[in-house]
Amino acid sequence: MLGTNPRDENAYDVVVVGGGPAGSTAATFLVRQGLRVAVFEREAFPRFHVGESLLPANLPIFDRLGCHQALQQTGLMEKRGVTIFDEYEHRGTMTVQFPRLPFQPDSSYQVVRASFDDFLLHHAAASGASVYRQHTVTAARHDPDQVVLQVTAAQGGTREVRTQVLVDASGRSTFLGTQFGRREPLPDLGKVSLFAHFRNVRRDPTIPEGNARLYLIPQGWMWWFSFADGTDSIGCVLHAQVVKARTGSIEALFDEVLATSPRVTAGLVDAERISLVQPVANFSYRITPCVGDRYLAIGDAAGFIDPIFSTGVYLAMRSGELAADAIGEAFRAHDFRAHRFHAYDKYLRRGTAPFLPFIERFYDPEFLDTFVSQRAPTWLRLPVVWVLSGAAFDYRSLWRSLWLRFGLAIFFAIVHIHKVIRWTKGRTVASRRSW
Ligand SMILES: Cc1cc2nc3c(=O)[nH]c(=O)nc-3n(C[C@H](O)[C@H](O)[C@H](O)COP(=O)(O)OP(=O)(O)OC[C@H]3O[C@@H](n4cnc5c(N)ncnc54)[C@H](O)[C@@H]3O)c2cc1C
């Protein structure tokens, strides 16, 4: 759009650092606006990645990317809801189905991230982005009228690449956040996660196969997602206290934690682990600021809240789409100063805000008394399920917004009543968030 030479492999309108869901989405929407875009991705794809359970709000983004049908043809497990098993305080088993809404469907997918991310990156390339795999961006420098990057190829050799605008989609590496901004851990969410892939598991026939299954256990919680190719992902999120008290290997800790769930243990009788046990620690943080002159951060590079409600990939892709809109407008105005991108930053923070109270309260026993309770009527959970399906991110209608606020106010009032009941019965009311 600014007339960069289409043959020049070292000058682009926009460079995207990272080819995960955020980077691929941004790149596709950017090239659609006539911009010359390069994506530099450090790894050789396909590569293993955590984050396999998507929200219904993801599906309209696939439609807008123009790749939904092709994605479905890769073979995906349909996810219609979430089932929570309480194996800690024994409240029972609770299933919520996603509601069908005028602007999003009532289902989503469980995806193997290696092939899902590869598919999206191919789609960005097919749309016209120049994609360089196994190329690491090692440094960025602001010149008066461009950003200059150092890019190192895995085969060797470093080159300088110039760009008008830089998009940081480097995920948890937070490439720019650590260079230009501040990375702040979210208080009390210093958790540790261990996870792996399995085959030959026994899937519980009483639960819809595609449902995300969450297990509440004394050390934290576990997930179990089933894929269309017959393999399964099982992982746990542990309180930091549990991990600090340990000295053995992560494999031994993982096996020990899985063994605390009778249901998971039964499912794994004939199973074979087909991946390494992968650890991730202290994954909740925010980057401030996440925009500046000639740059924006998207996806995990802008911040990550907590995996409990499977919001990560949706927020990554939606932020990629919003950033592409903001960059397109900046090109049309020939103005790349930070103030151009503040509206993007604000929209992202506002859209993410509805998830936060749930993540904070998930570790409170009275929240679980209300949400997981067998006696809770469907209407009480409905506003919560709206938020957790991603429907609240783009909430701009006044009436819907009032309805949602009213519904959530009632829900949290009942949470408070449960707290009083626990307290009068002498049961613990302490949150497990800071454990
Ligand atoms: C324990 C756990 C469980 C989770 N479960 C879920 C879930 O069920 N559902 C869900 O939606 N989300 C989940 N998430 C979150 C999800 O994994 C992320 O939010 C999502 O992957 C973010 O996508 P992204 O594109 O921003 O980053 P990523 O997918 O991490 O992609 C970033 C890419 O940037 C590349 N890169 C990094 N630095 C450089 C560099 N300097 N140069 C070039 N390339 C670089 C990396 O190689 C990587 O491929 C979970 C997260 C955790 C920690």
Side-chain angles (χ1 to χ4, degrees):
M1 191 183 259
L2 280 190
T4 47
N5 179 353
R7 290 174 194 280
D8 188 348
E9 292 204 336
N10 295 320
Y12 294 91
D13 293 326
V14 186
V15 164
V16 180
V17 183
S24 306
T25 303
T28 303
F29 284 120
L30 285 163
V31 289
R32 293 249 187 96
Q33 300 182 66
L35 296 167
R36 282 196 71 227
V37 180
V39 180
F40 291 102
E41 166 53 52
R42 184 175 58 192
E43 306 288 333
F45 270 36
R47 52 100 177 88
F48 194 90
H49 205 292
V50 70
E52 298 142 326
S53 193
L54 307 187
L55 300 183
N58 259 104
L59 274 58
I61 305 182
F62 299 136
D63 290 331
R64 293 195 290 274
L65 281 171
C67 65
H68 198 167
Q69 217 179 352
L71 180 66
Q72 283 170 324
Q73 282 161 5
T74 63
L76 301 175
M77 175 65 81
E78 192 179 42
K79 168 187 169 187
R80 293 204 155 267
V82 180
T83 301
I84 301 182
F85 303 93
D86 184 358
E87 297 186 318
Y88 174 47
E89 290 204 271
H90 306 289
R91 296 174 184 88
T93 300
M94 187 275 289
T95 293
V96 284
Q97 300 296 123
F98 295 124
R100 180 177 291 278
L101 301 173
F103 46 89
Q104 76 184 30
D106 55 0
S107 64
S108 185
Y109 305 117
Q110 312 285 13
V111 297
V112 178
R113 283 290 300 275
S115 39
F116 174 76
D117 288 16
D118 196 39
F119 172 90
L120 289 180
L121 194 54
H122 272 287
H123 184 65
S127 304
S130 302
V131 173
Y132 299 89
R133 294 173 181 81
Q134 294 188 279
H135 280 68
T136 304
V137 180
T138 52
R141 176 186 89 230
H142 269 82
D143 280 359
D145 55 356
Q146 61 188 355
V147 182
V148 182
L149 305 171
Q150 298 291 321
V151 181
T152 304
Q155 303 91 318
T158 296
R159 67 182 212 251
E160 267 194 2
V161 176
R162 288 164 283 122
T163 181
Q164 296 296 319
V165 177
L166 180 60
V167 175
D168 182 5
S170 63
R172 292 169 35 75
S173 310
T174 59
F175 169 71
L176 279 180
T178 29
Q179 188 162 339
F180 299 146
R182 242 187 3 261
R183 180 176 165 138
E184 301 163 329
L186 292 186
D188 297 340
L189 283 171
K191 311 279 179 200
V192 176
S193 177
L194 304 174
F195 50 95
H197 282 184
F198 295 83
R199 72 171 151 236
N200 294 336
V201 302
R202 291 184 192 170
R203 294 177 180 170
D204 183 343
T206 63
I207 305 294
E209 210 180 8
N211 273 18
R213 275 153 278 161
L214 304 182
Y215 302 81
L216 308 179
I217 54 169
Q219 301 94 327
W221 58 274
M222 280 196 263
W223 76 75
W224 181 339
F225 308 141
S226 298
F227 302 123
D229 67 1
T231 62
D232 294 72
S233 166
I234 300 181
C236 56
V237 172
L238 304 174
H239 303 301
Q241 281 184 0
V242 176
V243 184
K244 276 187 198 138
R246 289 280 315 200
T247 48
S249 70
I250 57 166
E251 286 79 9
L253 175 59
F254 188 53
D255 289 344
E256 194 181 295
V257 173
L258 297 188
T260 59
S261 162
R263 286 171 189 271
V264 173
T265 305
L268 288 177
V269 168
D270 304 317
E272 179 193 355
R273 180 158 59 77
I274 53 171
S275 74
L276 296 173
V277 177
Q278 310 270 342
V280 196
N282 293 323
F283 34 71
S284 298
Y285 55 86
R286 83 166 63 87
I287 300 294
T288 41
C290 74
V291 298
D293 290 345
R294 294 184 182 274
Y295 80 83
L296 302 88
I298 60 176
D300 281 8
F304 181 64
I305 34 183
D306 189 272
I308 179 62
F309 295 120
S310 299
T311 47
V313 173
Y314 168 67
L315 293 176
M317 296 184 70
R318 186 73 183 108
S319 62
E321 183 178 19
L322 290 167
D325 290 347
I327 293 167
E329 279 173 25
F331 270 93
R332 286 187 282 281
H334 283 254
D335 178 2
F336 307 105
R337 285 173 296 165
H339 75 94
R340 278 256 146 220
F341 306 129
H342 283 155
Y344 154 79
D345 187 17
K346 200 169 155 198
Y347 197 105
L348 186 61
R349 307 273 169 210
R350 252 180 73 178
T352 311
F355 296 116
L356 294 174
F358 294 100
I359 286 163
E360 284 166 10
R361 303 302 295 274
F362 178 77
Y363 296 96
D364 295 348
E366 64 273 14
F367 175 86
L368 294 171
D369 287 346
T370 315
F371 192 57
V372 182
S373 163
Q374 306 293 303
R375 292 194 305 271
T378 309
W379 62 261
L380 181 64
R381 286 199 201 102
L382 192 61
V384 182
V385 178
W386 270 55
V387 174
L388 301 183
S389 66
F393 186 95
D394 288 301
Y395 237 48
R396 296 298 177 261
S397 142
L398 178 66
W399 288 114
R400 283 187 191 152
S401 177
L402 286 176
W403 176 85
L404 187 66
R405 276 164 196 259
F406 181 66
L408 292 176
I410 293 180
F411 179 83
F412 280 113
I414 293 178
V415 170
H416 191 72
I417 292 170
H418 273 123
K419 184 172 187 169
V420 175
I421 293 172
R422 286 186 81 92
W423 188 73
T424 51
K425 288 186 174 168
R427 295 169 66 198
T428 179
V429 288
S431 171
R432 295 201 296 158
R433 188 153 54 105
S434 58
W435 276 24

